[in-house]
Amino acid sequence: MILYHMSQTLRCGDTFIPDFQKTESLCEPFTQALERSEDCFYGMLLNGKYLYAVLCKSHLREWSDYAKWATEGLFEFVRKKEYPDSYSRLNSFFFYDDLNNSRKLYWDDWGAESDEERGKVHLFEVEVEDTAPQKRDMSLFNKAYIALSEKQDIAFALSCARQYFSGEHSEEPVWEIMSNKRAVVRRDISNKL
């Protein structure tokens, strides 16, 4: 199956490697906290918020986005407990099945960046060896992220995670295709952006 993927690091011929940036370890403490209680998770959120402020002030914020890792941890908690047959976001790859959607996402994410920064991001055709990848609405993840980062609203974020893994979608879905199967970069099509 041919799908599309944006990356700053991949090259033609590369094979995808699960959790190549080792982010699962950043999410697991949030999942463990939620397994204990929502209060424990809330404490982790506030601790993460404080750490984020300290790292930003120190200009060391690259991996300090506590709300992203908290959201991923919360989604993993819901997946494990309620949707164990769904792919884990933590060890899946994310693709797009529509070239026009890929273009839109590229410009949404990178449109405000300089030409030099945009030029670092490539759009690839990828051959994915998965006969049943899972289609999910990324906007539900984004809503959960905003709920945790701005309001620490755990209940709303949990609701978003349940909708996401059940296959529901928002009024204006942003589709992402998840797979944890072998995928190989076949062609750089950045010129189509």
Side-chain angles (χ1 to χ4, degrees):
M1 164 181 291
I2 298 296
L3 297 171
Y4 305 100
H5 181 80
M6 283 182 275
S7 174
Q8 293 179 321
T9 58
L10 289 172
R11 300 292 173 252
C12 289
D14 285 355
T15 300
F16 283 64
I17 300 169
D19 198 23
F20 81 99
Q21 291 184 318
K22 307 295 181 218
T23 58
E24 191 168 357
S25 64
L26 297 171
C27 305
E28 184 60 25
F30 288 101
T31 302
Q32 290 173 332
L34 197 51
E35 287 170 352
R36 293 190 70 87
S37 71
E38 286 187 25
D39 286 341
C40 186
F41 183 82
Y42 184 73
M44 283 283 299
L45 270 178
L46 293 180
N47 188 21
K49 190 174 185 178
Y50 172 74
L51 181 61
Y52 181 73
V54 169
L55 291 172
C56 284
K57 189 172 176 77
S58 303
H59 307 289
L60 299 171
R61 60 164 268 172
E62 182 178 354
W63 292 102
S64 64
D65 188 352
Y66 74 97
K68 174 166 177 36
W69 310 122
T71 306
E72 292 287 10
L74 181 143
F75 270 55
E76 183 63 5
F77 171 82
V78 169
R79 186 199 67 79
K80 281 181 176 178
K81 297 289 185 196
E82 300 175 31
Y83 301 93
D85 293 335
S86 289
Y87 289 145
S88 169
R89 288 180 51 85
L90 301 179
N91 61 22
S92 289
F93 310 112
F94 297 89
F95 305 100
Y96 308 101
D97 59 355
D98 179 87
L99 187 55
N100 288 330
N101 189 32
S102 299
R103 283 187 196 109
K104 181 187 178 314
L105 291 169
Y106 171 83
W107 288 103
D108 286 351
D109 289 347
W110 297 94
E113 300 295 329
S114 68
D115 289 344
E116 180 181 344
E117 286 301 308
R118 275 196 311 273
K120 294 177 184 177
V121 181
H122 294 262
L123 178 63
F124 296 100
E125 278 185 355
V126 178
E127 185 176 343
V128 181
E129 295 177 3
D130 192 341
T131 57
Q134 297 176 353
K135 190 172 189 174
R136 301 287 186 250
D137 180 3
M138 182 176 27
S139 65
L140 292 170
F141 181 87
N142 295 342
K143 287 178 181 183
Y145 170 85
I146 291 167
L148 291 179
S149 66
E150 293 181 2
K151 301 174 188 171
Q152 292 75 54
D153 189 341
I154 299 166
F156 182 79
L158 285 167
S159 173
C160 289
R162 289 182 179 107
Q163 290 172 23
Y164 180 91
F165 285 112
S166 71
E168 293 179 41
H169 58 84
S170 62
E171 289 182 19
E172 295 184 32
V174 178
W175 296 113
E176 59 188 3
I177 310 299
M178 283 195 326
S179 176
N180 62 7
K181 305 295 188 263
R182 186 173 189 270
V184 178
V185 177
R186 292 297 181 208
R187 193 163 64 117
D188 186 338
I189 58 169
S190 300
N191 60 340
K192 295 187 180 193
L193 288 172

